[in-house]
Amino acid sequence: MLKNKERFEKNTAKVYIQTFGCQMNEYDSERILYFLGKEGYVRTFNIEKSDIIVFNTCSVREKPVNKLYGHIGRLKKLKKLNPQLLICVGGCTAQNLKDKILKDLPYVDIVFGTHNISELPELIKRRRLTNNSVCLVRESGFDYDLEKVKRDIKFKAYVPIIIGCNNYCSYCIVPYVRGRERSILPTNIIECIKKLVAGGVLEITLLGQNVNSYGKDLHEPMSFSSLLDKVSHIEGLKRIRFMTSHPKDFSEEIINVIKKRENVANHIHLPLQSGSEKILGLMNRKYTAYEFLKIIDFARKELPDCLITTDIIVGFPGEDRNDFLETLNIMREVRFSRAFTFIYSPRKGTKAYSMADSITMQEKKEWFRELVEVQNKISYEENKKLVGKKFEVLVEGKSKKDEGILMGRLENSTLVNFKGNEDSTGKILQVNITKAKSFYLLGDLCAT
Ligand code: 5AD
Ligand code: SF4
């Protein structure tokens, strides 16, 4: 068997990659694997046998940053056993905290920013020629090329359409680590998706921090709804998802496209963040709770079966019990099928970082538990409405927990588990829903 040094010399080094955070980061990991794969490096899922470890990090909340520190701390032993092992840190934390990482974590070899993914192979070579760690974090850039991605899953794919964010919500670090909004040309998007579909992809997810801003910066401006409509006409494409939408830019045209086009998923993810006008203002969200409800009313009227999901932050500076109760009221009124709930996490460099807290962490945790309890009940009741109905399910693979059980998603993205053969992975099958849980459904395959 080749030793680590020889594998590097023969360009067959083994790469282990761990991704934190959002779908855009998952997509970036596919790009990292593409550029490393081009060098000949091969992916491994066994960290102990790897020659290069890449952490693609997230800095939206403090928790993933702490997790990263924990993970890297545990690698000291591996590094001692194998001094040639390279530890690389990329993604949003690298972009945001490069100096801190280099200072706190002396056995990190390479730090690379969100705009430097294509340069990672070069940094690896450079690191192997010096005794010091190397760091490349550009302030801005745009190295997205939709062709340069290594996808392991053959039936579904992420396709970014807009990178960065111009919104500056006061709590959010994303505009600082991903830069300004830059749309990818519609022709490139369409070409990319056509190729994916020709290769067997059934479902694509259009990605962006704020997909509704799509096209405003293009030489020939184009709206997100017209891009969505264009994509939906690609022959053979069975399902189209998109995320994330910002309520301030969400248009009735998008709802019309979902209604008109069979293959655009009946699902809207629309982050509310807070139900209080005061807190929405402090968050710089640029919409009122009333405007948010108006969009929901229109969506419910036009798309009665549409699944609506959201993100909520609890414990934003200045939030008092009344503000929190307003959030709970909207949640009860809208009845989101799922809510991704977070305790506010101060991020250095954002506007909210210097705002004073109004409640204790203990209170935040209690309100958070209250919110989750209310939402879980609603999620369960909403899921129960699907019992007894038959749906098309895209099979994603074996369930992680149970042997012989498959996991798939309904068109509206709800998870469903059912008995079946793993060979069905990547196929769309008919499933009868038999039971509901808060976070997923159980079902039986329909006889064909
Ligand atoms: N603290 C807590 N939650 C946050 N989010 C973004 N920034 C923060 C923060 N500083 C949440 C928002 C966003 C989701 C992706 O993460 O709800 O919609
Ligand atoms: Fe962050 Fe707001 Fe931009 Fe979303 S829209 S990425 S929450 S700044």
Side-chain angles (χ1 to χ4, degrees):
M1 217 173 76
L2 291 180
K3 288 243 169 0
N4 171 299
K5 186 163 176 283
E6 293 168 58
R7 286 199 294 268
F8 269 112
E9 277 157 11
K10 291 188 185 319
N11 276 352
T12 56
K14 295 183 181 176
V15 182
Y16 177 89
I17 188 160
Q18 183 156 4
T19 312
F20 299 84
C22 66
Q23 287 91 345
M24 196 59 98
N25 255 21
E26 283 177 36
Y27 179 77
D28 278 350
S29 288
E30 296 179 339
R31 297 173 58 221
I32 292 171
L33 288 168
Y34 167 86
F35 287 106
L36 297 182
K38 225 173 95 200
E39 294 297 306
Y41 303 151
V42 274
R43 185 175 190 180
T44 173
F45 291 93
N46 185 343
I47 194 165
E48 300 199 351
K49 295 229 165 103
S50 60
D51 305 310
I52 302 170
I53 298 173
V54 182
F55 290 105
N56 189 12
T57 64
C58 167
S59 61
V60 161
R61 285 170 294 278
E62 196 169 4
K63 224 171 163 184
V65 179
N66 292 342
K67 260 198 198 161
L68 168 76
Y69 270 59
H71 279 291
I72 294 182
R74 283 192 289 278
L75 293 181
K76 205 169 162 183
K77 222 171 61 201
L78 272 189
K79 191 84 176 178
K80 274 221 174 99
L81 285 173
N82 175 7
Q84 299 241 358
L85 173 69
L86 292 184
I87 300 177
C88 316
V89 180
C92 297
T93 309
Q95 186 73 27
N96 195 26
L97 299 174
K98 63 175 191 296
D99 296 331
K100 188 168 157 49
I101 293 171
L102 289 168
K103 187 168 134 270
D104 293 352
L105 304 165
Y107 29 95
V108 166
D109 295 281
I110 295 169
V111 177
F112 63 107
T114 53
H115 310 295
N116 306 106
I117 286 177
S118 59
E119 288 149 299
L120 181 57
E122 208 40 56
L123 296 176
I124 290 175
K125 283 181 198 148
R126 226 200 287 162
R127 174 64 182 99
R128 288 185 50 76
L129 294 174
T130 75
N131 283 326
N132 300 319
S133 50
V134 293
C135 172
L136 180 62
V137 174
R138 255 190 260 289
E139 282 295 303
S140 62
F142 190 68
D143 67 352
Y144 277 77
D145 178 338
L146 298 185
E147 299 283 319
K148 297 185 174 165
V149 191
K150 166 92 176 66
R151 293 184 167 94
D152 284 336
I153 297 174
K154 300 290 173 230
F155 55 89
K156 62 173 193 172
Y158 292 130
V159 177
I161 60 167
I162 179 166
I163 313 294
C165 182
N166 290 358
N167 288 316
Y168 291 96
C169 300
S170 62
Y171 51 80
C172 186
I173 197 75
V174 168
Y176 304 93
V177 291
R178 290 279 180 180
R180 297 293 65 70
E181 286 169 0
R182 283 136 306 159
S183 302
I184 295 178
L185 281 173
T187 46
N188 293 356
I189 296 169
I190 302 285
E191 273 317 297
C192 164
I193 299 175
K194 277 186 180 163
K195 278 191 197 154
L196 287 169
V197 172
V201 165
L202 299 175
E203 175 188 299
I204 59 125
T205 304
L206 304 175
L207 287 184
Q209 263 80 35
N210 176 10
V211 289
N212 312 118
S213 281
Y214 178 78
K216 289 180 188 164
D217 58 322
L218 290 173
H219 188 60
E220 287 174 45
M222 179 184 200
S223 69
F224 173 62
S225 55
S226 39
L227 177 76
L228 191 60
D229 187 60
K230 272 205 166 63
V231 169
S232 76
H233 282 87
I234 294 175
E235 207 156 317
L237 181 55
K238 296 281 185 223
R239 283 182 181 177
I240 305 150
R241 308 189 183 291
F242 55 93
M243 67 177 2
T244 293
S245 294
H246 194 302
K248 87 176 160 56
D249 301 313
F250 198 84
S251 68
E252 294 191 351
E253 286 88 75
I254 298 173
I255 291 169
N256 292 334
V257 178
I258 301 177
K259 186 173 175 182
K260 208 170 60 191
R261 304 295 305 156
E262 185 97 352
N263 55 359
V264 179
N266 228 342
H267 174 204
I268 299 171
H269 181 68
L270 204 60
L272 167 66
Q273 312 297 7
S274 169
S276 145
E277 305 295 3
K278 178 184 101 194
I279 297 300
L280 285 173
L282 287 172
M283 285 178 165
N284 191 30
R285 288 292 285 175
K286 303 188 188 92
Y287 55 84
T288 62
Y290 174 75
E291 284 161 343
F292 185 91
L293 289 174
K294 252 178 54 187
I295 304 172
I296 300 291
D297 278 350
F298 185 75
R300 292 268 194 237
K301 187 161 77 44
E302 296 298 314
L303 307 164
D305 294 327
C306 186
L307 186 122
I308 300 177
T309 54
T310 199
D311 295 346
I312 305 277
I313 297 176
V314 178
F316 188 80
E319 183 172 331
D320 60 26
R321 185 70 194 168
N322 275 339
D323 299 313
F324 176 69
L325 291 178
E326 279 175 353
T327 303
L328 278 189
N329 276 345
I330 292 207
M331 295 187 76
R332 290 197 181 98
E333 185 174 343
V334 175
R335 297 185 63 80
F336 299 106
S337 293
R338 286 191 296 274
F340 299 89
T341 46
F342 310 101
I343 292 183
Y344 167 68
S345 174
R347 310 312 296 139
K348 204 169 173 183
T350 62
K351 203 153 169 236
Y353 189 73
S354 54
M355 295 181 189
D357 259 341
S358 43
I359 54 168
T360 63
M361 186 44 108
Q362 181 63 21
E363 280 170 300
K364 289 185 189 188
K365 285 185 177 164
E366 275 162 27
W367 294 7
F368 179 78
R369 264 197 298 274
E370 218 176 310
L371 183 90
V372 169
E373 210 171 288
V374 169
Q375 180 55 44
N376 284 354
K377 188 163 173 283
I378 296 172
S379 296
Y380 174 63
E381 287 164 2
E382 288 302 304
N383 275 349
K384 238 170 40 178
K385 291 181 185 164
L386 306 177
V387 173
K389 296 186 179 162
K390 187 165 87 175
F391 291 97
E392 285 193 336
V393 171
L394 173 57
V395 185
E396 298 201 346
K398 277 191 307 192
S399 135
K400 285 194 186 88
K401 280 190 261 157
D402 297 313
E403 253 331 279
I405 301 290
L406 297 178
M407 190 272 276
R409 279 180 201 275
L410 309 193
E411 186 214 291
N412 68 19
S413 89
T414 309
L415 267 175
V416 54
N417 284 349
F418 54 98
K419 256 198 203 126
N421 189 323
E422 214 189 327
D423 295 349
S424 310
T425 302
K427 292 190 181 138
I428 292 181
L429 303 176
Q430 300 282 335
V431 173
N432 271 324
I433 305 303
T434 53
K435 200 168 177 184
K437 304 264 181 183
S438 280
F439 305 111
Y440 63 99
L441 303 167
L442 298 174
D444 285 333
L445 257 181
C446 294
T448 42

